[in-house]
Amino acid sequence: MLMAKTTRIFLRLSLYFLVALLCIVGSPVLAKVPGSINSSSQLPINSLTSLPVATDAASLLQQGKVLYSTENFAKAVEVLQQAVQIYKQQGDSLALAATLSNLSLAYQQLGAWNQAQQAITESLNLLKTQDKNQNLQLFAQSLDIQGRLQLAMGQSEAALATWQETEKIYKQANSQSGVVRSLINQAQAWRTQGFYPRAVKTLDRISQTLKSQPDSIEKTVSLRSLGDALLVLGDLKKSRRALEESLIIAQNLQSRADIGASLFSLGNNARRQHQKEQAIAYYEQTIAVSPSPLTKIQAQLNHLGLLIEDRQWAKVQTLLPPIESQLKQLPLSRASIYAHVNYSQSLAKVKSGVLQASSQSFYSGLSTKDSAKLLARAIEQSRSLGDKRAEAYALKSLGGLYEETRQWPEAQDLTRQGLALAQSSNAPEITYSLEWQLGRLLWAQKNINGAITAYDAAVDTLKSLRRDLVVNKDVVNQEVQFNFRDSVEPVYRQSVELLLQSQQGKPNEKILEKARERIEALQLAELDDFFREACLQDKKVTLDRVVDKDNSKAAILYPIILRDELQVIVKIPKQPLQNYTNKISQAEVEKLLVELRRNLVNPTATKIVQTQSQQVYNWLLKPIESQLQKSDVDTLVFVLDGPLRNLPMAALYDGKQYLVEKYAIALSVGLQLLDPKPLVKQQLRALTAGLTQPPPGFPKFAPLLAIKSEFEGISKAGVTTTSLLDGDFKKKNLESKIGAASFNIVHLATHGQFSSRLEDTFILDFDGQINVKDFDTLFRSQGKTVVELLVLSACQTATGDSRAALGLAGAAVRAGARSTIASLWQIDDQSTAMFVSAFYRELKSGKITKAEAVHRAQLKLLKHPNYRAPSFWSAYVLIGNWL
């Protein structure tokens, strides 16, 4: 339960677009008195129902309805407060309870949590004195509103319990629509706690239940919630289908609010799929259709974000005035405050972009003062609402502006103010960014110790959120724009740079240990962000313990790419950590790595490959080569960073030899291994599966005609095999075979692709794609032995994706295999068959490690007259346990 409770926030940092307000939170069902007349022909999801008790009160409530529906929440609160006083004077407990519940909702929209809590508590206390059986609907509606408040205040477990209670009451009242709304709300609570699959299952069940029923608000809302949840999980196609169905129903119902909400979600879906023109079209439709000023602004801000990404400054200039004008007209609420802050951040990006583009005519109309004024207004509004979380976010942004203008004391003061508010408001996603900002400010002022403390705090906050992989915890964070590359990764890299800098030229093993642990934390966070859920939860053994054991001949290298230098931390058996530095910019390093990766796949580019790979060799290994020789090291384990993961270390060249000619080589995803033990004493039992022809719909993949000889080579090596070929190679058959027998090797000879995008990382079976996210259920059958070795012999990293190897690491982790062998690019299938046969023959001998078996198989290809070029033998990499 504790682990589940901490599984909430980290993924939200990965979304770079504004997420739509969840339809259930944004479109509440307001409490009404039983028997009251609802003027709307639709369910009262967006209406404030009038209570026909007293003329003056009814008039006030009608006015409150209009104000609430136009999102003028502050004025709605004033009117509802007057109605409360009238009902108190009249002693009408039921009407008073309903009005107090609605008042709580209006307070919630303002972020006035104390007043909202007081109002809903008073409402529920009044209802508890009445006969519940006669007022079941009203009691359930008030509880529903309490659940919304609990969720908004971060009490997701309490909200879930409240909505489970409302479900029971609606069942007593025979209210099917109420039951459905309660279940939809429960799904949101599950999402907030990190149980996205459970939320999707609940929403899917609701949608199936409503499928045969007439169109309703519940139906469109449940489908939209399902689509938004699937979007977060990365199932973009199913998400889009659900959202399109939701839109059709909303259009049939002529509900402009729901039409706008569904269009907005579709825009977000298109943006996730990099369909920018389509996303903009959806946002423009949202603006045209939605009656909600806030939804319009959100769509405009998302549209603006896309234009800024593409540096379309002329269109940006056209969009700024209407956004600014509509922002001024937004009624006061927490959401409007965040819209102001986000707009100010967009202005800062525009200013930076046009300066780089030298668009001086445009720039003359922008100034830091414009952003500062917006933020000052947001801070003032936050204080008037007593919304500490919103104030902390605005203070962070204003402090960031002062940081840009190098006004350190002012920036530091604002940052500390914001940090105190964020910590007291239990807002860790804002807290970490303020701690990071404080660290930068102290570093800029040469306060190294203070900066380290601040960075440590930021990393600790992120660490506590590492399992918190949920977007949309509450309405506030849906309106905060985060991007993993911009908002999380730099915290770790800058922290490492600061730590290493603090050594002042004197190696400190404790600092080096801390630095490599920090870079590992970054890599684990990347995987979490990739999968949108926590990875690597099994018990592990640290690499150092494996390296330092008796007779170990493995050394570990941790290259770390920083802004102005390439750092390498090295662990040699029985020796303390050491490091060395290459003064070269990140841009230069990445430029060479991209060029080398492109040349490696070309068999005729051997000369340029040797020249470029020698440069990388000089960075990573030359300073330590004599020590490696003295220590009798024969295996190198790399924990690679960034675009280095796209390169095969075997192809590094020292001027005379490739690295593979001197060492066995393995890669590790992190600093730990899952139960490291050799495979040498086990009988080898392999499940082999392959496709000689790609399935229909995948024309870019060529036939793999040598698969049969590849499988024959495995059998001839003495490995016991069970095969699934072509039509038999289907996901269900593969899963069934793995579940029915204990294979320690699974060998898949099929096309596949590794990408930095989850949805684009897959292998092919006879029916189509098997996505990497399904690897855990595919390879980890309950009660069966963990797969010792997974071989993916015909896969490749996505072309043009500098972080594609993230998908390879993800596949290795997701499968749960102790070791994974894969190819970074697709190679000649005859040479693949030769490599595979040689590898299994060496492995079957039972006298060498898996890394050494790969090493010898690569050497066999290198010595073959047809396969000497690195493009043939270097593509194979071993990830995980090298023993």
Side-chain angles (χ1 to χ4, degrees):
M1 180 58 71
L2 182 59
M3 181 179 293
K5 193 172 183 179
T6 59
T7 308
R8 294 186 188 117
I9 302 169
F10 201 73
L11 169 63
R12 82 173 64 133
L13 311 181
S14 71
L15 290 189
Y16 59 92
F17 54 82
L18 291 176
V19 180
L21 287 176
L22 285 176
C23 40
I24 298 305
V25 169
S27 305
V29 181
L30 303 186
K32 60 179 180 178
V33 170
S36 66
I37 299 171
N38 177 15
S39 60
S40 171
S41 61
Q42 300 175 359
L43 286 167
I45 287 187
N46 265 335
S47 65
L48 191 65
T49 306
S50 58
L51 306 175
V53 179
T55 304
D56 289 342
S59 176
L60 286 168
L61 285 162
Q62 182 59 34
Q63 185 182 355
K65 170 186 175 180
V66 174
L67 291 167
Y68 192 97
S69 65
T70 58
E71 300 179 1
N72 193 341
F73 304 118
K75 192 66 178 174
V77 163
E78 291 182 23
V79 171
L80 289 170
Q81 284 174 332
Q82 293 176 47
V84 164
Q85 293 306 314
I86 292 174
Y87 287 125
K88 281 185 176 179
Q89 291 170 8
Q90 294 176 344
D92 190 333
S93 297
L94 285 180
L96 177 58
T99 308
L100 284 166
S101 294
N102 292 334
L103 178 60
S104 175
L105 267 178
Y107 276 133
Q108 289 176 40
Q109 296 290 351
L110 292 174
W113 310 121
N114 290 336
Q115 295 94 321
Q117 181 67 67
Q118 184 177 343
I120 194 62
T121 299
E122 190 175 346
S123 171
L124 288 169
N125 286 341
L126 284 167
L127 290 171
K128 287 172 184 176
T129 64
Q130 307 294 314
D131 185 345
K132 290 182 184 179
N133 292 326
Q134 293 182 11
N135 303 289
L136 288 174
Q137 289 271 12
L138 179 56
F139 188 57
Q141 289 169 348
S142 295
L143 279 173
D144 171 63
I145 290 168
Q146 183 186 49
R148 299 174 197 281
L149 176 60
Q150 290 166 332
L151 191 71
M153 296 177 71
Q155 301 165 5
S156 56
E157 292 179 0
L160 177 62
T162 297
W163 283 326
Q164 288 171 337
E165 186 177 352
T166 64
E167 180 191 359
K168 293 176 184 176
I169 296 172
Y170 278 126
K171 283 180 178 177
Q172 282 182 262
N174 294 317
S175 172
Q176 180 61 30
S177 62
V179 169
V180 168
R181 287 195 294 266
S182 295
L183 288 170
I184 295 172
N185 288 353
Q186 288 173 43
Q188 178 167 335
W190 287 124
R191 289 173 63 174
T192 304
Q193 292 181 63
F195 299 109
Y196 262 72
R198 189 177 300 186
V200 166
K201 187 175 180 180
T202 300
L203 290 165
D204 199 31
R205 189 173 73 247
I206 295 168
S207 298
Q208 293 301 319
T209 300
L210 296 175
K211 203 164 193 174
S212 59
Q213 297 183 16
D215 289 347
S216 64
I217 294 297
E218 285 90 355
K219 187 183 282 193
T220 188
V221 164
S222 65
L223 284 164
R224 189 163 68 248
S225 286
L226 176 61
D228 288 340
L230 289 167
L231 178 64
V232 173
L233 286 177
D235 198 336
L236 303 185
K237 291 180 181 178
K238 285 185 180 178
S239 166
R240 180 162 185 155
R241 285 199 297 269
L243 293 173
E244 287 174 340
E245 194 175 344
S246 170
L247 175 61
I248 290 170
I249 295 169
Q251 289 170 334
N252 291 342
L253 295 171
Q254 298 182 355
S255 171
R256 291 177 61 211
D258 291 292
I259 292 170
S262 294
L263 285 168
F264 185 63
S265 290
L266 280 164
N268 291 338
N269 181 288
R271 186 168 185 176
R272 255 304 274 294
Q273 297 191 64
H274 303 287
Q275 299 168 345
K276 293 187 177 181
E277 290 184 8
Q278 193 173 48
I280 288 173
Y282 278 126
Y283 292 143
E284 288 176 338
Q285 290 177 64
T286 302
I287 294 162
V289 171
S290 177
S292 165
L294 181 60
T295 302
K296 289 177 185 286
I297 282 289
Q298 288 176 315
Q300 286 177 311
L301 287 170
N302 279 12
H303 184 182
L304 177 63
L306 284 170
L307 295 178
I308 292 172
E309 283 177 20
D310 288 347
R311 307 176 74 80
Q312 297 184 40
W313 304 125
K315 291 183 179 179
V316 166
Q317 191 171 10
T318 303
L319 196 55
L320 292 180
I323 293 178
E324 205 162 312
S325 172
Q326 291 177 52
L327 271 175
K328 291 177 182 177
Q329 298 173 30
L330 275 184
L332 179 62
S333 70
R334 168 183 272 199
S336 71
I337 292 170
Y338 273 83
H340 278 83
V341 174
N342 288 339
Y343 180 61
S344 74
Q345 293 172 340
S346 293
L347 284 183
K349 291 179 183 177
V350 172
K351 177 186 170 185
S352 173
V354 296
L355 273 175
Q356 293 173 17
S358 300
S359 181
Q360 293 299 325
S361 59
F362 184 12
Y363 172 64
S364 62
L366 297 171
S367 72
T368 304
K369 287 184 179 178
D370 295 327
S371 294
K373 287 178 182 177
L374 281 166
L375 292 171
R377 183 182 177 198
I379 292 168
E380 183 181 345
Q381 290 177 333
S382 301
R383 288 173 178 167
S384 71
L385 292 179
D387 191 338
K388 293 181 180 180
R389 188 187 292 240
E391 184 182 352
Y393 183 49
L395 283 165
K396 178 191 82 72
S397 298
L398 186 56
L401 277 184
Y402 277 105
E403 180 186 9
E404 287 178 19
T405 55
R406 304 175 69 84
Q407 295 173 267
W408 312 127
E410 294 85 354
Q412 189 171 320
D413 180 57
L414 289 164
T415 302
R416 289 190 184 279
Q417 288 182 51
L419 182 57
L421 289 169
Q423 289 172 333
S424 67
S425 303
N426 190 28
E429 72 288 352
I430 301 176
T431 299
Y432 99 86
S433 60
L434 282 157
E435 291 165 335
W436 175 28
Q437 186 163 290
L438 180 60
R440 297 195 306 269
L441 292 167
L442 294 170
W443 193 357
Q445 297 173 82
K446 311 298 182 186
N447 183 349
I448 301 301
N449 289 336
I452 288 175
T453 300
Y455 269 97
D456 285 351
V459 170
D460 285 344
T461 303
L462 283 172
K463 190 184 298 183
S464 72
L465 303 177
R466 191 179 81 76
R467 302 184 191 281
D468 202 345
L469 305 182
V470 182
V471 179
N472 305 342
K473 179 182 176 184
D474 54 43
V475 83
V476 176
N477 301 318
Q478 292 161 18
E479 294 155 346
V480 183
Q481 301 179 70
F482 284 110
N483 175 286
F484 187 90
R485 292 283 300 274
D486 297 335
S487 300
V488 176
E489 183 174 337
V491 181
Y492 290 94
R493 292 200 184 281
Q494 292 170 18
S495 174
V496 170
E497 182 179 351
L498 179 62
L499 285 168
L500 296 175
Q501 188 184 103
S502 72
Q503 292 183 116
Q504 298 180 333
K506 300 176 182 178
N508 183 311
E509 189 171 14
K510 287 185 178 180
I511 289 178
L512 292 176
E513 177 64 31
K514 187 175 179 180
R516 67 173 187 164
E517 286 178 354
R518 193 141 294 176
I519 211 69
E520 180 197 34
L522 167 61
Q523 293 181 347
L524 297 183
E526 276 188 297
L527 284 172
D528 289 346
D529 176 63
F530 177 78
F531 282 113
R532 303 193 169 90
E533 60 183 84
C535 302
L536 295 175
Q537 299 183 53
D538 300 312
K539 291 183 179 180
K540 307 288 192 301
V541 177
T542 60
L543 296 185
D544 285 9
R545 280 178 54 190
V546 181
V547 166
D548 280 338
K549 71 178 184 179
D550 292 340
N551 302 319
S552 173
K553 294 184 178 182
I556 315 170
L557 291 94
Y558 311 82
I560 303 170
I561 301 173
L562 302 174
R563 286 176 294 188
D564 300 310
E565 60 191 32
L566 177 63
Q567 286 275 356
V568 184
I569 300 175
V570 180
K571 171 63 182 176
I572 294 177
K574 308 293 178 57
Q575 292 185 27
L577 292 175
Q578 54 184 300
N579 77 302
Y580 39 92
T581 306
N582 298 274
K583 289 294 181 182
I584 182 169
S585 72
Q586 180 176 350
E588 290 178 90
V589 171
E590 293 185 349
K591 181 175 183 291
L592 178 64
L593 297 181
V594 169
E595 291 177 0
L596 174 55
R597 173 64 174 77
R598 185 170 57 244
N599 291 325
L600 271 167
V601 300
N602 183 357
T604 65
T606 300
K607 288 294 183 184
I608 186 64
V609 164
Q610 288 179 344
T611 300
Q612 292 176 331
S613 65
Q614 186 173 357
Q615 180 61 70
V616 181
Y617 178 90
N618 290 343
W619 291 337
L620 302 189
L621 287 150
K622 190 172 183 178
I624 205 77
E625 58 185 358
S626 61
Q627 290 189 52
L628 294 174
Q629 292 168 7
K630 289 178 183 177
S631 300
D632 202 23
V633 167
D634 63 12
T635 301
L636 299 180
V637 180
F638 290 88
V639 184
L640 295 176
D641 182 32
L644 280 167
R645 289 177 291 196
N646 278 355
L647 289 181
M649 294 295 102
L652 299 188
Y653 191 67
D654 68 1
K656 295 180 181 180
Q657 291 179 298
Y658 292 107
L659 198 60
V660 74
E661 297 180 81
K662 300 191 288 185
Y663 300 100
I665 297 164
L667 306 178
S668 179
V669 174
L671 305 180
Q672 303 177 52
L673 287 179
L674 173 63
D675 188 19
K677 58 184 179 182
L679 190 59
V680 292
K681 296 181 181 180
Q682 300 182 36
Q683 180 184 353
L684 301 185
R685 298 176 306 280
L687 173 63
T688 59
L691 287 180
T692 57
Q693 298 288 337
F698 296 88
K700 73 173 185 176
F701 295 109
L704 298 172
L705 301 179
I707 281 180
K708 291 181 180 178
S709 63
E710 182 176 329
F711 287 0
E712 287 172 5
I714 298 173
S715 296
K716 287 179 181 178
V719 179
T720 303
T721 61
T722 300
S723 290
L724 297 171
L725 190 63
D726 291 332
D728 292 327
F729 178 21
K730 297 181 179 181
K731 180 184 174 184
K732 63 179 182 180
N733 293 342
L734 188 64
E735 193 169 359
S736 174
K737 289 290 185 183
I738 293 174
S742 294
F743 297 100
N744 45 21
I745 298 173
V746 175
H747 184 108
L748 303 180
T750 180
H751 285 294
Q753 177 176 278
F754 307 119
S755 168
S756 60
R757 287 160 49 92
L758 176 64
E759 54 269 28
D760 295 332
T761 300
F762 58 86
I763 60 171
L764 297 180
D765 71 351
F766 188 77
D767 293 329
Q769 290 186 13
I770 300 176
N771 191 273
V772 68
K773 69 182 179 182
D774 297 323
F775 277 22
D776 60 341
T777 55
L778 192 60
F779 295 107
R780 301 194 204 196
S781 299
Q782 189 173 5
K784 295 297 180 182
T785 306
V786 173
V787 173
E788 292 286 344
L789 175 63
L790 169 65
V791 180
L792 302 166
S793 71
C795 295
Q796 61 189 22
T797 52
T799 305
D801 186 344
S802 63
R803 296 196 167 207
L806 179 64
L808 172 55
V813 168
R814 194 72 170 186
R818 289 196 171 94
S819 309
T820 299
I821 295 175
S823 54
L824 291 172
W825 56 83
Q826 188 185 344
I827 42 192
D828 172 87
D829 60 345
Q830 292 293 339
S831 63
T832 296
M834 183 182 296
F835 168 83
V836 167
S837 295
F839 167 74
Y840 282 105
R841 280 198 304 271
E842 296 291 347
L843 194 64
K844 187 66 172 64
S845 71
K847 299 176 183 177
I848 60 173
T849 65
K850 283 175 274 190
E852 181 60 26
V854 172
H855 174 221
R856 294 183 185 183
Q858 287 177 313
L859 288 178
K860 184 175 179 64
L861 283 186
L862 189 152
K863 293 173 183 177
H864 192 284
N866 295 336
Y867 304 126
R868 289 175 181 169
S871 60
F872 292 108
W873 50 262
S874 71
Y876 305 101
V877 293
L878 171 66
I879 303 172
N881 180 8
W882 66 90
L883 299 177

